């Protein structure tokens, strides 16, 4: 006879454990259990059957793996939590006795310090694993770096978040690792590529943040504590790979004056090479590479001559290899109807020299922090701004002749509405009157910087001039599909066959319907006015009859009314012969008018089609084209139905789902194209009126 199994010793009841049981097993409080699970990366699990997983009659809501809780039994942080609990009891006992000095001494000198170094090493055995998990860490740390200090968020936490995020930004600037950025409603998205890993994070705008009590800041503070340790490890490894000293030198006074990124000074053996890499104009290296290539080519030529090989073919191959090494490969689809392939991004050298030859001045109304970071990450080493925005600028003088581009985010105002320039004091930088333009300088809006880095090239600055309507700011991560709508492409390249002609017919029919409606409204108004006049006249007749006092025989009047009704009905009907006669008369009039036009055209020496305006021919062409399109679609549908009959049921269902999603996407694209067509038509009409 087999051994009888006891309930709760196998299956889901053994694999899962409730949160209450886990807290009792670890002998810690619930807040400490939450902190420990966040540090170790242990999250609740959902069993297949809650009744089988819970050993009690009442179903529980939160379950964990039993192996995870057993793994936590040997965690060194448990001893730190117990030390904190015993220290809290001692401090409470001292405060109860009135010994405030002893309580402060215990809190200052005997408080246990938590170190998460071993947790980072356990959770991320390789550096690539840490880089892959850096998205959420950067988003949360940048969020806390922009929060105001309060009772929930202490200023020490904010300062620590600002410091580690600025250190990470300096690495991106030094290595030109930033690739793309996008301005959204939530904030500014950034994407960087570090050791082949794409990292994306979100930075909120610097508006006044309201700290609400609905958010549990204790849990968020636990994540911040873990993420600051993680980013510190990552920054140390990244700086060490460049030969830079970590942490970098930090100037507290300049940071208090608003220097931010400029408050850090990179130190190390490779600091002198970083600006050269950013500028991207190293003529010595180019000369050396050319010299080496010429020496190698001369040796190769000698070997070819000794071997007696054809030199022209080899020269062509050498030229092609040199061109392929210099330029980035571009992938082209094999078929014209295939999807567009992802093209490789810019290399570090190209991205590092995008804004290198420029000296940019940021106006006071433009966002200084993101613009400074992006410009420096893409090669601009000379960025200036007003002294009010903080220290660390290349120049605070707006009239500096070295400035090539100025970023302005205010509309152009008339000369009379501009305020006067403030008087400059002794030793201060001379102020410029707001709204004035310095000759020899390019003025652009901030979107020019973002669109240029996303496109990988410098865009036309006149499209981003102050006061002009900016082009659409599109996400660089959304790739246009073959079925969807592409706002960058022209309408002619996206429209289907005959779509523009059908849209024109619809617009023309809509206009005709509106004209007919207006004519009908006018006729209705005229009829109402005529009825009103007739009613007034009948009222006058009735009043006259009442004044005359005429006697009327009721029986005779009824007979007269019946006769009148029959006569009016006969007059209204008119018979079939009258209708046929009227149609023949219309045909005769049309034939006469056509004959008259033909005679006029013959007398003028012109064909009749030119006099007629070609309206009939255009209508015939449009109708024939619509019929061809409809016939083509009908044939495609019939062919598709025949192909679907040959498929299995599973493949047919999958094909129908794909067709449904494609049709939905194409309908949305058609709506967007129709909107764009109307806008362009309205703009052309406005230009024509002007």
């Amino acid at each position: 006879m087999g051994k009888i199994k006891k309930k709760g010793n196998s299956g889901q009841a053994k694999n899962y454990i409730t949160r209450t049981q886990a807290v009792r097993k670890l002998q810690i409080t619930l807040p400490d259990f939450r902190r420990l699970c966040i540090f170790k990366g242990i999250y609740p699990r959902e069993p297949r059957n809650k009744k089988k997983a819970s050993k009690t009659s009442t179903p529980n809501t939160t379950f964990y793996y039993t192996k995870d809780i057993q793994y936590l039994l040997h965690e060194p942080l448990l001893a730190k939590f117990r030390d904190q609990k015993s220290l809290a009891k001692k401090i409470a006992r001292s405060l109860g006795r009135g010994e405030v000095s002893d309580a402060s001494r215990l809190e200052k000198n005997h408080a246990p310090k938590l170190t998460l170094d071993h947790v980072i090493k356990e959770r991320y055995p390789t550096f690539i694993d840490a880089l892959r998990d850096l998205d959420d860490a950067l988003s949360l740390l940048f969020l806390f770096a922009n929060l105001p200090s309060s009772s929930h968020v202490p200023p020490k936490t904010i300062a620590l978040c600002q410091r580690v995020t600025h250190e990470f930004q300096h690495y991106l600037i030094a290595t030109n690792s930033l690739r793309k950025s996008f301005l959204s409603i939530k904030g500014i998205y950034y994407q960087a590529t570090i050791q082949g890993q794409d990292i994306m994070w979100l930075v909120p705008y610097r508006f006044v943040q309201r700290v609400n009590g609905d958010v549990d800041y204790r849990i968020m503070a636990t994540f911040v504590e873990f993420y600051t340790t993680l980013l510190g490890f990552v920054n140390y490894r990244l700086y060490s790979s460049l030969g830079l000293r970590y942490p970098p030198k930090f100037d507290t006074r300049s940071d208090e004056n608003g220097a931010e990124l400029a408050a850090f000074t990179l130190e190390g053996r490779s600091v002198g090479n970083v600006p050269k890499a950013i500028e991207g104009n190293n003529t010595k290296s180019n000369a050396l590479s050319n010299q080496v290539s010429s020496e190698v080519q001369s040796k190769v030529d000698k070997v070819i001559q000794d071997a007696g090989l054809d030199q022209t073919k080899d020269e062509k191959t050498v030229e092609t290899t040199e061109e392929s090494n210099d330029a980035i490969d571009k992938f082209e689809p094999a078929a014209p109807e295939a999807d567009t392939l992802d093209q490789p991004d810019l290399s570090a050298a190209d991205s590092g020299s995008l804004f290198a030859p420029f000296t940019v001045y940021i106006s006071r109304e433009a966002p200084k922090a993101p613009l400074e970071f992006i410009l420096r990450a893409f090669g601009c080493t000379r960025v200036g701004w007003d002294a009010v925005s903080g220290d660390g600028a290349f120049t605070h003088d707006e009239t500096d002749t070295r400035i090539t581009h100025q970023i302005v985010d205010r509309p152009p105002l008339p000369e009379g509405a501009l305020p006067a320039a403030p008087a400059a004091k002794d030793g201060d930088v001379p102020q410029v009157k707001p709204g004035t333009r310095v000759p020899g300088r390019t003025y652009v809006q901030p979107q020019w910087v973002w669109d240029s880095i996303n496109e990988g090239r410098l865009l036309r600055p006149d499209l981003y001039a102050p006061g002009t309507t900016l082009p659409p700011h599109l996400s660089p991560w959304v790739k246009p599909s073959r079925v969807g709508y592409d706002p960058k492409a022209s309408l002619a390249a996206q429209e289907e066959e005959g779509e523009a002609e059908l849209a024109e017919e619809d617009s023309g029919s809509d206009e005709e319907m509106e004209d007919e409606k207006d004519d009908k409204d006018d006729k209705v108004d005229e009829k109402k006015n005529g009825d009103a006049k007739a009613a007034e006249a009948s009222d006058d007749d009735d009043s006259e009859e009442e004044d005359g006092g005429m006697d009327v025989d009721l029986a005779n009047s009824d007979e007269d009314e019946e006769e009148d009704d029959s006569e009016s009905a006969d007059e209204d009907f008119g018979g079939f012969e009258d209708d046929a006669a009227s149609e023949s008369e219309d045909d005769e009039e049309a034939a006469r008018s056509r004959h008259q036009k033909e005679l006029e055209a013959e007398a003028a020496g012109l064909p009749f089609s030119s006099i007629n305006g070609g309206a009939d021919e255009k209508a015939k062409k449009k109708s024939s084209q619509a019929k061809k399109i409809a016939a083509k679609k009908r044939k495609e549908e019939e062919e598709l139905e025949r192909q679907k009959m040959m498929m299995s049921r599973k493949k047919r269902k999958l094909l129908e789902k794909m067709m449904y999603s494609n049709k939905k996407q194409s309908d949305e694209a058609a709506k967007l194209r129709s909107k764009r067509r109307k806008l362009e038509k309205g703009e052309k009409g406005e230009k024509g009126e002007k």
Side-chain angles (χ1 to χ4, degrees), residues 11-22:
Q12 296 189 36
K14 185 180 179 182
N15 295 333
Y16 292 95
I17 187 173
T18 63
R19 188 178 64 181
T20 305
Q21 294 171 352

Side-chain angles (χ1 to χ4, degrees), residues 200-215:
M200 184 187 297
W201 68 97
L202 175 65
V203 180
Y205 295 112
R206 293 196 173 183
F207 299 139
V208 178
Q209 303 286 344
R210 293 184 180 180
V211 180
N212 298 325
D214 300 338
V215 183

Side-chain angles (χ1 to χ4, degrees), residues 225-488:
E225 185 178 359
F226 174 73
Y227 284 150
T228 49
T229 308
L230 171 62
L231 190 56
F233 269 82
V234 172
N235 288 341
Y236 172 75
R237 179 67 179 270
L238 294 176
Y239 274 65
S240 300
S241 63
L242 294 180
L244 301 175
R245 185 179 300 171
Y246 186 81
K249 188 177 180 181
F250 179 67
D251 191 357
T252 309
R253 182 177 296 178
S254 61
D255 183 67
E256 291 175 354
N257 293 331
E260 296 183 353
L261 286 174
F264 294 85
T265 305
L266 301 182
E267 296 177 347
R269 61 177 181 270
S270 63
V271 175
N273 298 329
V274 172
K276 294 179 182 178
I278 291 177
E279 290 178 0
N281 294 325
N282 197 352
T283 56
K284 293 183 179 179
S285 60
N286 294 332
L288 289 173
S289 62
N290 293 331
Q291 184 178 0
V292 171
S293 61
S294 61
E295 292 177 359
V296 172
Q297 184 63 36
S298 62
K299 293 180 181 179
V300 170
D301 292 339
K302 289 182 180 179
V303 173
I304 290 171
Q305 290 176 1
D306 296 337
L309 299 174
D310 191 6
Q311 188 175 357
T312 57
K313 296 180 180 179
D314 294 334
E315 287 177 356
K316 291 180 180 178
T317 56
V318 170
E319 291 176 359
T320 54
T321 53
E322 289 179 356
E323 290 177 359
S324 62
N325 291 331
D326 294 337
I328 299 177
D329 295 334
K330 293 184 178 181
F331 304 111
E332 297 181 357
E337 297 180 355
D339 295 335
T340 57
L341 300 175
D342 293 337
Q343 301 297 332
D345 295 331
L346 287 173
S347 61
D350 295 336
S351 62
S353 60
L354 188 62
F355 301 114
F358 302 144
T359 302
V360 183
Y361 186 87
I362 304 172
S363 299
R364 289 180 294 175
E365 70 278 359
K368 187 205 80 170
L371 284 172
E372 180 192 3
F373 169 57
I374 289 178
L375 290 172
R376 291 188 185 279
F378 283 86
C380 185
T381 58
R382 300 176 296 275
V383 184
W385 54 79
D386 195 89
V388 179
S389 302
D391 294 341
F394 175 73
T395 178
H396 294 297
D397 187 7
E398 190 175 353
T399 60
D400 196 340
T401 57
R402 294 172 294 180
I403 298 173
T404 59
H405 291 71
Q406 184 168 348
I407 300 174
V408 182
D409 200 11
R410 62 166 71 98
L413 298 174
E415 191 68 23
L418 298 175
K425 298 179 181 179
D426 296 337
D428 293 344
V429 177
Q431 299 291 329
V432 179
K433 185 178 180 181
T436 57
R437 297 287 182 265
V438 180
R441 187 180 301 179
T442 304
Y443 288 85
V444 292
Q445 297 189 44
Q447 187 180 330
W448 176 75
V449 179
W450 272 272
D451 290 349
S452 296
I453 66 173
N454 291 334
E455 288 290 333
R457 58 186 178 86
L458 296 174
L459 300 177
R460 290 171 48 189
D462 58 331
L463 299 177
Y464 299 86
T468 58
T469 302
L470 294 172
H473 181 59
L474 305 174
S475 174
W477 298 286
V478 177
K479 302 296 182 183
S481 61
R482 185 170 56 88
V483 185
Y485 172 73
D486 186 8
K488 293 183 179 180

